[in-house]
Amino acid sequence: DQVTYLYHASPGSDTAAGLARVGSFPATRSSIGLCLLARLDANGLRERLPRGPLPDFPGGLAELRPRLAEVCRAGFACVVTPSGEASIAVPILPAACAGLAVSGVLAEECRPQVRDALAEAAAFIAADLGEEAMAAGPGTRQQRPSDHSRSRP
């Protein structure tokens, strides 16, 4: 029911200062948390979330499920705070045990570009994780056809 940010920093801040400086945060209040929860089935949700009211979802799972279905269909989550700060996140698939997010004062018209950049970065990470899993697992590591044409951001 909680997420932990491994890196959380403001633009221009020291990189080291952003490492693991934020503790846990309610999954239902964060874009990354919603992305990760959206990948769980009904049993997974019941195992991870308490019964009754949830942060930002006073109706509990019954209120949360439609929001998670929307996130799953869209492939990303966007949470906008009352102060206007937006957080956009995408899961790193296929495992969806982590995600990438950007937050700040993001103009609504810029949000699709941010989402697309996050999705592209998540795809690169997922591909690299897949390569590592193939290398560590049984059999021979095979090169993906897209390896020759992709470039790293």
Side-chain angles (χ1 to χ4, degrees):
D1 65 338
Q2 301 280 313
V3 294
T4 299
Y5 295 93
L6 299 178
Y7 184 82
H8 192 275
S10 300
S13 64
D14 179 46
T15 301
L19 294 172
R21 70 176 182 88
V22 177
S24 60
F25 195 75
T28 57
R29 283 199 171 141
S30 75
S31 58
I32 286 180
L34 291 173
C35 280
L36 300 179
L37 291 172
R39 309 305 296 179
L40 297 174
D41 62 17
N43 288 333
L45 287 172
R46 280 193 298 276
E47 289 172 6
R48 285 172 181 82
L49 297 174
R51 289 180 165 231
L54 298 167
D56 289 347
F57 296 89
L61 279 175
E63 185 180 351
L64 178 62
R65 280 190 182 105
R67 175 71 166 115
L68 296 179
E70 172 190 326
V71 168
C72 197
R73 272 191 308 274
F76 74 99
C78 182
V79 174
V80 181
T81 67
S83 66
E85 186 172 305
S87 175
I88 300 171
V90 297
I92 298 174
L93 299 172
C97 59
L100 296 176
V102 170
S103 67
V105 180
L106 304 170
E108 196 166 337
E109 62 271 10
C110 295
R111 294 177 193 169
Q113 294 168 311
V114 171
R115 176 204 62 218
D116 292 349
L118 286 168
E120 184 176 345
F124 278 120
I125 292 168
D128 285 346
L129 291 175
E131 284 179 6
E132 290 176 19
M134 286 172 56
T140 306
R141 182 176 169 177
Q142 298 177 0
Q143 192 172 29
R144 292 179 318 277
S146 61
D147 281 350
H148 298 292
S149 61
R150 73 177 184 174
S151 62
R152 305 267 178 201

